[in-house]
């Protein structure tokens, strides 16, 4: 797993990052101390290659420095387009991306990051024509993928195996029962977000992180209260709607406010 490096980090991983930036032509001290100088240089590099210039060396930035293909990664221009579409400052979208996204839209196997929800599968089977008794019978037969209660998570790429098993039960319900991509949008939202069907939604999530962001923007547009909260930068209301009643426990509103202030301040300095 790639180590996340940011201002305040120290050690060999930071030294390697600085050395890679130096090899790319940046005048930077290779001292293993991630301070303001390293952050400024890193942001410049991120802007040069088109990545989100958040000053954090995560797996995407480190992959770019190693020369790997970054074509499916989220770019700054994607965030700007999302901000324009939503009618909000770029800093707002950058804050939401930092706090609410999973950081990576694709797993190590190249497939979209997913989390399969077996209790949603129980519900979606009934929404797709199965009787409650039939759904309960399947819960007895294959409880790992059909169940009245949440759970059974395996995490990572193993979630694809759970999805594959669920697809053997019922294709459409299975795809609707997984959350997809950077922002973990549930498949059953496909119609509300304007996709032709759930397979079209799943195929689109496999294209790029930009396509996943587009689904998230559609999700915000489809909820007037959520969109209004974002426009007003009412982070408490935004977090309450998006994250649910436990938003305060996880400090989502506080994290969003801090991230927005940081990005807005940086953009004001750069202007």
């Amino acid at each position: 797993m790639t180590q996340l490096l940011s201002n305040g980090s120290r050690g060999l991983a930071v030294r390697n990052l600085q050395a890679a930036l130096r090899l790319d032509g940046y005048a930077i001290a290779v001292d293993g101390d991630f301070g303001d100088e390293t952050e400024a240089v890193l942001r410049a590099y991120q802007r040069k290659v088109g990545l989100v210039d958040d000053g954090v060396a995560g797996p995407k930035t480190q992959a770019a420095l190693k020369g790997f293909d970054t074509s499916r990664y989220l770019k700054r221009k994607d965030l700007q387009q999302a901000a324009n579409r939503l009618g909000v400052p770029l800093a707002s979208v950058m804050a939401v991306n930092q706090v609410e996204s999973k950081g990576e839209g694709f797993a190590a196997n190249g497939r979209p990051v997913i989390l399969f929800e077996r209790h949603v599968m129980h519900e979606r089977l009934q929404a797709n024509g199965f009787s409650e008794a039939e759904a309960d019978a399947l819960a007895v037969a294959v409880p790992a993928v059909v169940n009245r209660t949440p759970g059974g998570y395996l995490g990572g790429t193993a979630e694809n195996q759970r999805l594959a098993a669920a697809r053997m039960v019922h294709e459409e319900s299975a795809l609707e029962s997984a959350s997809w991509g950077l922002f973990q949008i549930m498949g059953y939202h496909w119609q509300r977000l304007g996709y032709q069907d759930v397979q079209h939604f799943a195929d689109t999530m496999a294209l790029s992180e930009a396509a996943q962001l587009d689904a998230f923007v559609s999700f915000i547009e489809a909820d007037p209260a959520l969109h209004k909260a974002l426009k007003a930068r009412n982070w408490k209301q935004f977090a309450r709607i998006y994250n649910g009643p436990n938003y305060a426990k996880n400090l989502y509103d506080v994290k969003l406010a801090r991230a927005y202030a940081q990005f807005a301040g940086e953009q004001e300095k750069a202007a």
Side-chain angles (χ1 to χ4, degrees):
M1 186 174 180
T2 304
Q3 184 178 354
L4 199 69
L5 304 173
S6 60
N7 204 318
S9 298
R10 290 179 175 80
L12 179 60
V14 174
R15 187 180 293 274
N16 291 339
L17 170 66
Q18 293 167 328
L21 289 166
R22 193 176 181 87
L23 281 173
D24 204 68
Y26 293 91
I28 183 174
V30 182
D31 58 7
D33 186 357
F34 195 133
D36 292 343
E37 179 198 23
T38 299
E39 182 177 343
V41 169
L42 180 61
R43 288 181 188 277
Y45 171 76
Q46 291 171 325
R47 285 193 293 273
K48 184 184 82 168
V49 298
L51 294 175
V52 177
D53 54 331
D54 56 6
V56 176
K60 299 173 189 178
T61 298
Q62 295 185 49
L65 281 165
K66 293 174 184 175
F68 296 153
D69 178 24
T70 61
S71 60
R72 291 204 295 177
Y73 291 166
L74 197 65
K75 306 294 194 298
R76 179 188 174 90
K77 65 178 178 64
D78 301 321
L79 293 179
Q80 184 63 68
Q81 289 170 359
N84 294 344
R85 182 171 153 190
L86 291 167
V88 300
L90 174 61
S92 292
V93 176
M94 291 184 72
V96 171
N97 176 60
Q98 183 181 86
V99 175
E100 300 290 4
S101 84
K102 293 185 70 66
E104 288 186 273
F106 292 91
N109 58 8
R111 296 176 182 174
V113 170
I114 66 162
L115 188 66
F116 181 77
E117 302 284 2
R118 66 186 190 184
H119 66 292
V120 176
M121 180 73 170
H122 188 273
E123 296 167 1
R124 297 315 299 170
L125 284 168
Q126 294 172 72
N128 288 315
F130 287 71
S131 68
E132 185 176 3
E134 288 172 326
D136 284 340
L138 285 167
V140 173
V142 282
V145 294
V146 182
N147 210 301
R148 283 184 175 270
T149 59
Y153 307 114
L154 298 178
T157 57
E159 289 297 313
N160 292 115
Q161 298 169 15
R162 298 181 69 215
L163 177 60
R167 292 176 78 164
M168 297 291 288
V169 175
H170 190 255
E171 180 89 8
E172 184 177 354
S173 298
L175 294 174
E176 290 179 338
S177 300
S179 58
W180 296 79
L182 271 175
F183 297 94
Q184 292 294 278
I185 302 295
M186 290 298 301
Y188 61 73
H189 290 300
W190 65 265
Q191 189 170 23
R192 178 171 170 245
L193 303 184
Y195 294 89
Q196 296 170 8
D197 52 36
V198 69
Q199 186 63 62
H200 178 222
F201 171 79
D203 290 344
T204 303
M205 295 305 94
L207 293 176
S208 66
E209 290 182 347
Q212 296 170 4
L213 174 63
D214 185 67
F216 180 64
V217 171
S218 295
F219 185 85
I220 294 175
E221 290 176 325
D223 188 328
L226 187 64
H227 197 179
K228 181 180 178 181
L230 181 62
K231 282 186 170 182
R233 295 193 285 283
N234 184 339
W235 301 118
K236 184 173 290 187
Q237 178 69 355
F238 183 89
R240 180 185 289 113
I241 297 170
Y242 188 71
N243 301 111
N246 291 326
Y247 77 94
K249 179 181 177 182
N250 295 302
L251 300 177
Y252 285 116
D253 56 329
V254 175
K255 292 173 183 176
L256 285 163
R258 286 176 179 169
Y260 172 78
Q262 176 192 343
F263 290 127
E266 290 162 357
Q267 286 159 25
E268 188 176 334
K269 287 179 185 177

